[in-house]
Every structure is written in C-alpha cells, then in structure tokens.
Amino acid sequence: MERAMSPLEAVWSAKPSAEPREGLSLTRIVNTAIEIANTDGLGAVSMSRVAKSLGFTTMSLYRHVGSKEELVLHMQEAAVGPPPADLVTGQGWRADLERWSWTVVRKFRRHPWLLQTLTMFGPPATPHQLSWLDHGLRALGPTPLDENEKVAAILLVQAHSFADLTFHAAGAATATDDTDPYETLFTRVIDPTRFPALMAAFTGGGFASTDDPEADRDWLYQFGLQRILDGVQVLVEQRLSGEG
C-alpha cells in the first residue's frame, strides 16, 4: 500500500496552476482560507467554513487538501510568498539585512495569523520559508562571520520581528476603547515611591505615543533593529581586525 504524503510533503509537491473561474482548485481553497484568517483569525478557518464560502461541500475540499493541517501549511506558503528578486543587492550586508528584516516583518503584519503557524509547525521547512531564510543568510555572505554566527544573527533579527508581532497582537486583542491603560496606571494606581524609575520614565515621555500608531510601531521596531545591527557590526569589525 502506497504511503500517504505528509502535509509538508504535499506542500513541497504542489504545482502552481492557473486559477479557474469556476469549480474547485487548491489555489481557490487556499486564497479563501487566507481571506478568512485575515478577517477573523486562524481559529476561524475550518474546512467546512472554507467550503461554504466557496459554495461547495466540505468533502469536496478533500480532493485537493488532505487535512486542515495541510491547508494551513498551504496558507502559510502562499501568504509568505517568494522573496523579491532584488531583496539582496550585495551592496552592503547591513543595508541588505535591514531591507530583508523590514520586508519580512511587513509581510507578517499583513497576515498576523502567520505567527501562530510558526508555533504550530516549528522552524522554516516550506519552500518559500526556506527561500527567505536563504536570502537572509545571503545578506551576511560578504561578512567574515562563520556560518554559526550568521544563522545566530538571522535568528536574533527574527526574534525581534516576532516580538513586534506578538506585542502588538496582544495590544490589539486587549484594546477595548481609546483609553491609554498606562496613563490610568501611572496617574491613578502606581505609588511613585515604590516605582521611582518607572515614574521617571513615564513623566519623561518614555511611554508616550503619537496620533499615528503605525508610525510609533515602526519607530520602535527600527530602534531595536538598529541596535541589533550595531551589535552585529561590532562583531564583523572584530573579525576583520582579527580580534575575538
């Protein structure tokens, strides 16, 4: 008896095809599932809901997708997509790695549910995911870092990106009105004699925000990213000078 393909093997063996105007196809199923996840979250995606959205029975989907797990992997692969051809220019490792990082985090911001799929399936293993990882490593190719250090640097940048996504996903989930919870906390609850450093940060504008949440988010992400790149640059310079 022939062994059934695993969900990951199914993603690797999938062939791109033109999307028919009518009838079912893997592309239509995946795109519909992505639309549901973008609107209502990954938890809202089910084989029955996707089938209903397309006007077909649930069982008809299984001719194209073996399981919900396989569907989510296809969704992940389609949403991630391939890296842009000009992502890594070779004109400087720092500029290339910064561009790579921003491109990745913006893609994940457009599809916040992607972060949840990483906790479901673990390290990058699908074609597009590995291609993005490969491009990140290419950015560090001109540096004197060894391969272990290159991978570690990429993982550090990714961890910063995931922190951005997790922090803002939590904020969106708990936000119920326009009230600033920190404003209330610091002005009505916290004892300044118990938390003097926190109060100094608050009164000094450390937790201030503007009327543009996306700009605030970008500033915070860029600040952290630059500090990470500063650290990698120190290591690169140490290697070039023969130190370390």
Side-chain angles (χ1 to χ4, degrees):
M1 182 176 179
E2 186 177 351
R3 182 180 67 86
M5 286 193 296
S6 70
L8 185 59
E9 289 172 327
V11 170
W12 273 92
S13 64
K15 305 296 183 184
S17 60
E19 183 175 348
R21 293 183 178 181
E22 298 180 359
L24 269 181
S25 69
L26 178 61
T27 299
R28 288 193 69 199
I29 293 169
V30 171
N31 287 345
T32 299
I34 288 175
E35 290 174 4
I36 293 171
N38 286 344
T39 303
D40 299 325
L42 189 62
V45 176
S46 66
M47 300 292 274
S48 59
R49 180 165 176 183
V50 173
K52 183 177 180 180
S53 297
L54 288 167
F56 288 86
T57 65
T58 301
M59 289 304 299
S60 63
L61 266 62
Y62 286 99
R63 291 196 290 269
H64 302 272
V65 184
S67 64
K68 180 181 175 181
E69 180 183 1
E70 181 185 325
L71 173 59
V72 174
L73 270 174
H74 281 297
M75 291 167 60
Q76 182 192 75
E77 181 73 348
V80 167
D86 59 350
L87 184 61
V88 177
T89 66
Q91 299 301 309
W93 71 264
R94 181 163 181 153
D96 278 344
L97 190 55
E98 180 178 352
R99 185 183 310 105
W100 177 87
S101 179
W102 270 108
T103 307
V104 169
V105 80
R106 284 178 174 141
K107 185 173 288 289
F108 272 70
R109 286 180 183 181
R110 288 195 296 272
H111 306 288
W113 52 269
L114 276 172
L115 186 62
Q116 190 177 343
T117 69
L118 298 183
T119 63
M120 293 170 61
F121 300 119
T126 60
H128 289 333
Q129 277 190 308
L130 291 177
S131 185
W132 280 95
L133 179 57
D134 184 78
H135 277 67
L137 292 170
R138 289 186 204 178
L140 290 168
T143 72
L145 302 182
D146 63 36
E147 298 307 316
N148 187 52
E149 291 168 338
K150 291 175 186 175
V151 172
I154 292 297
L155 293 178
L156 184 58
V157 172
Q158 285 186 319
H160 178 56
S161 298
F162 295 161
D164 166 89
L165 298 163
T166 302
F167 177 80
H168 289 279
T174 57
T176 57
D177 52 40
D178 294 331
T179 303
D180 183 348
Y182 261 38
E183 179 78 24
T184 302
L185 184 66
F186 281 103
T187 57
R188 301 182 186 178
V189 180
I190 285 183
D191 178 359
T193 62
R194 183 180 179 186
F195 301 101
L198 274 173
M199 287 302 299
F202 174 73
T203 57
F207 298 100
S209 58
T210 70
D211 293 331
D212 188 343
E214 281 304 307
D216 291 342
R217 182 177 184 178
D218 285 350
W219 181 90
L220 188 61
Y221 182 78
Q222 178 71 347
F223 178 84
L225 177 60
Q226 291 305 317
R227 302 298 73 76
I228 291 171
L229 296 179
D230 287 344
V232 175
Q233 185 165 340
V234 168
L235 183 59
V236 168
E237 291 172 353
Q238 287 177 343
R239 293 289 182 272
L240 289 172
S241 65
E243 301 176 11

